[in-house]
Amino acid sequence: ALLSRLQTPQGGWGWWENSTADPYITARVLVALRALQQRPGVLPAGIPFPDNLLRRGIQGSKLLYDQTSLWEERAYLAAALAPLGDEFRPLPAEVATRGKGTLSPAALFTLAPALAATSAQEDARRVLDEALAHVFTFRTRAFLDAHDAAMDQAEAALVEEAIADQTQIEAPELD
């Protein structure tokens, strides 16, 4: 109910009720909805998956992607949209190519698995290598420069995996 209330008329999500859609929040909600969709047993019995919420979220995300001129925002939206339809699969490669040199390490870590999942292995490796240039290790831990955006758990796992095995990027399965 809360996600439905916070969804804007265009389909995105903002920080607060009645706020404008935010690309980062919208991308995070899409990722969460997709994860929920893939795990039907998570919802209580009798509660259906909110297909309409996801459908409107996809439309809102595409609208935000088309409206923003910031490649950083497009990186998060592209990574969230790519597994949700064939028409979105080229978006991560577009961001990796056209946004090259402008993305934060956190955006690069978000984009790399999306590229790998769309079979853009060369781009995925380049993006991951660019992101890893901002990571330093101490003993068994990896850290991102303090001035860069914080990594979430998925991004941190990707870094650890990349450091452990510099030869391959594991990508989530796309339908």
Side-chain angles (χ1 to χ4, degrees):
L2 180 62
L3 282 180
S4 181
R5 248 191 3 255
L6 295 177
Q7 194 172 32
T8 68
Q10 296 78 25
W13 286 270
W15 284 91
W16 317 111
E17 197 167 353
N18 300 318
S19 65
T20 59
D22 178 84
Y24 302 104
I25 299 298
T26 299
R28 294 286 187 185
V29 171
L30 270 189
V31 168
L33 284 173
R34 174 135 164 60
L36 180 63
Q37 185 183 42
Q38 293 178 323
R39 294 166 185 83
V42 171
L43 288 172
I47 306 281
F49 178 78
D51 289 311
N52 191 45
L53 198 67
L54 178 60
R55 204 172 14 265
R56 287 186 56 232
I58 292 169
Q59 292 170 345
S61 295
K62 181 60 174 136
L63 182 65
L64 285 169
Y65 182 90
D66 291 339
Q67 288 177 343
T68 186
S69 61
L70 300 175
W71 290 108
E72 183 82 6
E73 292 177 349
R74 284 184 173 193
Y76 286 91
L77 291 165
L81 283 166
L84 296 171
D86 288 340
E87 68 271 29
F88 305 123
R89 289 176 64 87
L91 296 180
E94 177 187 30
V95 173
T97 302
R98 296 183 64 200
K100 185 178 180 180
T102 67
L103 300 172
S104 72
L108 294 168
F109 283 122
T110 300
L111 196 57
L115 285 163
T118 61
S119 300
Q121 293 297 321
E122 238 177 80
D123 284 338
R125 171 53 48 196
R126 180 186 55 77
V127 164
L128 185 59
D129 287 344
E130 187 179 338
L132 286 172
H134 296 275
V135 174
F136 63 94
T137 58
F138 179 71
R139 297 190 182 153
T140 61
R141 303 275 187 225
F143 299 91
L144 194 57
D145 290 341
H147 69 277
D148 292 319
M151 290 185 283
D152 66 19
Q153 286 182 331
E155 293 160 343
L158 181 62
V159 172
E160 287 179 14
E161 183 177 320
I163 289 169
D165 178 5
Q166 291 287 322
T167 62
Q168 183 158 344
I169 298 171
E170 292 292 324
E173 292 286 324
L174 289 182
D175 296 334

